[in-house]
Structure formats: structure tokens, C-alpha cells
Amino acid sequence: MAVLDYIFPKRCLSCGSVGAYFCARCRPGVRHILPTEAICPVCGRPAIDGKTHPRCRSRYSLDGLTSFFRYDGIVKKAVTSLKYRGVFDLAAAFIALISSGYSGLPGISGRDDVVLVPIPLHTHRQRTRGFNQAEILGSTLAQRLHIKMHTGILRRIADTPPQVSMQERSARFINLRRAFTCESDGLERYNSIILLDDVYTTGATMRSAGHTLKRAGARFVWAVTMAR
Ligand SMILES: [Zn+2]
Ligand SMILES: [Zn+2]
């Protein structure tokens, strides 16, 4: 046990018991999203393995979406804690919940032409918060998948408010179109980009980031989120 664990003991995010962020009693409450429950990132309807429907494809659309957990209960608490505290060991515990036999990201592990790109925060927000939770999750997930992470490819130029209601979905899509720019330097080295964010709500942020990357020449962009 590390010294810090004595001073700030880990507590279960759900029941508060000391020892782990996801205690053995609460862990079964985590709801995994099965590959058969995946959705298309363009229309939001069911899609096998999260692959964008052929009819939903367009020149700059995302190629697919993988979300690991349902956004409720202890998972919701984990996302919130990470957003405000940015703790690396919480990110590691969260990533460790992804089952080892998970098949939602087939054929990615260990490939050096695949790169993980965390959704960036606007510099203002990153400065006030001090960290980017998607980047913290990304470094752990990239390690687990044996792929590289690159934080310099995508830059956020518009400071958009947090995701809101579904009714605003179409309006937000337009607003977010120019939310990112791409530093295409080095982009051609990679065949596939894994875009990572903590939560998928309307998907507007992911679609916008995907659009920017594809317009800059990315061949394959797959969105990944911890929760949905
Ligand atoms: Zn618990
Ligand atoms: Zn679709």
C-alpha cells in the first residue's frame, strides 16, 4: 500500500467503503454495453459492433462507435470524479473494468499504425481544470491496447458548453462543426485513429472531431467512450 493510500484512502464511489474505487460488492452493478447493443454514431440506431450504417456514411463521417459501459450508477460517479479530480489511479481502475475478452475493438492491439487521440479541452478550460480527463483515460487505455497516444493532432478552438439536451442536437452539430482544428503533421503515418472521450451523449463532439480529422486526410476514425 502506498503512503498516500493511508492519508487519502481509496473509497468505493458507490457505497463509500474503504479499499477500492469499485468495491467487490458494487462492481457487479456496472452495466457493460454488449457489442450487440452498439449504436451507429451517425443516426444513433442499433448497429452491429457499432459500425456506421452504410446508408449513414458520408465523406467525413465516423466509421463507428464503441462505448464500454452504461452511463448510470457507479459509472456515472466515476466519470464525474475523474472530471473534477483527474486521478490517475481512478482512471486505471475504470479502464480495468473493461473485460479482458472485450471484442469491441478487434484487431487494434499492438498496431503501430493505430493512434489514440483524446478529445481535447479548450485551452482555457484545461488551464482552469489543470488536466484533461480524456487524456488521463487515454494514457491508460493506450497502454492496455499497446498503441500510441497522440495529443497534438487535434486542437479545440471553440469553447463549447457541456453537452445538453437531445432537442438541441442538430443545432449543436452545426455549432460544433468548427470546434476543432487538425495539426495534420504526422497524420499520414497512421491508418486508423481511435478518438477517445469519457461520455457519449448526443455524439456531436465526436462527429465534429471526426469530421475535422477526415477532412485533414485521416482514413479511418473510430469513436470510443467509456460510457454512454
Ligand atoms: Zn461499494
Ligand atoms: Zn446509422
Side-chain angles (χ1 to χ4, degrees), residues 120-132 135:
L121 293 175
H122 190 270
T123 34
H124 293 165
R125 201 177 298 183
Q126 175 135 3
R127 220 173 288 140
T128 20
R129 199 177 283 177
F131 61 88
N132 173 2
E135 203 175 310

Side-chain angles (χ1 to χ4, degrees), residues 1-10 19 89:
M1 206 186 214
V3 176
L4 273 176
D5 288 338
Y6 287 104
I7 309 168
F8 305 107
K10 277 177 206 150
D89 58 350

Side-chain angles (χ1 to χ4, degrees), residues 12-17 22-26 74:
C12 174
L13 296 167
S14 185
C15 71
S17 67
F22 304 89
C23 84
R25 242 180 342 143
C26 298
I74 195 167

Side-chain angles (χ1 to χ4, degrees), residues 40 42-44 53 55-56:
C40 164
V42 176
C43 70
H53 296 127
R55 64 171 183 278
C56 293

